[in-house]
């Protein structure tokens, strides 16, 4: 005669996907003074956005573009409902950097690769901010970029890099970016950026 087992059946719960990069796990960047950054985002969000930009986006001193990344400074980080999007949250970041000789091409103008580096890193930041405010991880890897070059920029020009979120889904996110000459307002480059959350279970 079969006997009853007293052991309970184990129920397996699928593991939640691990965040690609968790902004709250990154160290505070000592060069950031959030009191100098304008915008409606709370100070802790401004700090975490900067931590993600400098630690994950820029990296350590011996990696590509380190000097350019460290010279880039955020002047505004905002997260507000967008009238154009029916009240949905929209994040906006504005950063500035002054063109130095190391950023030039052979013709003495801002290098296209330099522009692309700035867009890739800066246009990612409104997605990080939006994710922090909405409880979603907005840090991903770049899936694609569409960059338009509008005008050259010589040494000494201060660039204003304005980025805003477009959409944030479960794994795919999008942002737009415009780089202008801060003094003249002339558009240097504009772009759309798509990012995605990598599958961390692989």
């Amino acid at each position: 005669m079969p006997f009853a087992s007293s052991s309970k059946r184990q129920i397996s719960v699928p593991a939640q996907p691990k965040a690609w990069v968790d902004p709250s796990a990154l160290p505070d960047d000592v060069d950031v003074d959030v009191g100098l950054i304008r915008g409606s985002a709370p100070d802790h969000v401004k700090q975490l956005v900067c931590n993600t930009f400098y630690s994950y986006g820029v990296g350590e001193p011996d990696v590509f573009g380190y000097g350019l990344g460290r010279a880039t400074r955020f002047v505004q980080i905002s997260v507000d409902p967008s009238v154009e999007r029916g009240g949905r949250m929209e994040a906006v970041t504005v950063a500035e950097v002054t063109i130095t000789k190391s950023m030039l091409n052979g013709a003495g103008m801002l290098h296209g690769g330099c522009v692309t580096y700035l867009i890739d890193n800066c246009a990612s930041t409104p997605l990080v901010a939006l994710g922090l405010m909405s409880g979603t991880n907005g840090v991903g890897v770049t899936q694609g970029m569409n960059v338009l070059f509008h005008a050259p920029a010589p040494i000494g020009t201060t660039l204003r890099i304005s980025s805003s979120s477009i959409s944030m889904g479960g794994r795919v996110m999008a942002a737009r970016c415009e780089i202008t000459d801060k003094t003249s307002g002339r558009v240097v480059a504009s772009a759309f950026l798509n990012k995605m959350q990598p599958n961390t279970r692989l």
Side-chain angles (χ1 to χ4, degrees), residues 158-169:
T158 297
L159 301 174
R160 186 175 176 85
I161 307 137
S162 303
S163 306
S164 60
S165 60
I166 298 174
S167 64
M168 179 173 289

Side-chain angles (χ1 to χ4, degrees), residues 183-200:
T183 302
S184 70
R186 181 172 61 173
V187 180
V188 175
S190 60
F192 287 96
L193 176 75
N194 285 346
K195 296 186 79 79
M196 65 177 292
Q197 288 281 353
N199 189 344
T200 55

Side-chain angles (χ1 to χ4, degrees), residues 135-159:
T136 306
N137 192 301
V139 184
V141 294
T142 300
Q143 188 178 36
M145 243 187 298
N146 184 7
V147 182
L148 294 175
F149 299 95
H150 302 283
I155 192 169
T157 303
T158 297
L159 301 174

Side-chain angles (χ1 to χ4, degrees), residues 34 37-47 49 76-80 91-92 129 133:
V34 294
I37 303 174
R38 300 185 310 274
S40 63
D43 284 353
H44 77 278
V45 169
K46 292 176 181 177
Q47 184 69 60
V49 168
Q76 179 186 342
I77 300 175
S78 297
V79 184
D80 298 299
V92 175
M133 293 295 288

Side-chain angles (χ1 to χ4, degrees), residues 10-147:
Q10 298 259 339
I11 299 173
S12 63
V13 177
Q16 294 297 316
K18 182 182 173 187
W20 170 248
V21 172
D22 180 0
S24 64
L26 298 172
D28 280 354
D29 193 280
V30 295
D31 292 334
V32 172
D33 182 353
V34 294
L36 300 177
I37 303 174
R38 300 185 310 274
S40 63
D43 284 353
H44 77 278
V45 169
K46 292 176 181 177
Q47 184 69 60
L48 291 175
V49 168
C50 290
N51 293 349
T52 306
F53 179 85
Y54 294 112
S55 182
Y56 170 61
V58 175
E60 299 177 354
D62 57 349
V63 302
F64 175 80
Y66 177 82
L68 170 59
R70 292 304 311 184
T72 304
R73 286 290 172 219
F74 286 90
V75 297
Q76 179 186 342
I77 300 175
S78 297
V79 184
D80 298 299
S82 169
V83 176
E84 294 176 357
R85 297 155 106 202
R88 283 188 297 151
M89 296 266 272
E90 179 181 57
V92 175
T93 64
V94 180
E96 294 179 353
V97 66
T98 300
I99 299 175
T100 61
K101 187 174 181 181
S102 65
M103 297 163 64
L104 304 180
N105 60 22
M109 295 294 166
L110 178 64
H111 196 292
C114 205
V115 169
T116 306
Y117 173 87
L118 288 169
I119 290 168
D120 189 20
N121 281 336
C122 291
S124 299
T125 57
L127 299 173
V128 175
L130 185 60
L132 289 166
M133 293 295 288
S134 63
T136 306
N137 192 301
V139 184
V141 294
T142 300
Q143 188 178 36
M145 243 187 298
N146 184 7
V147 182

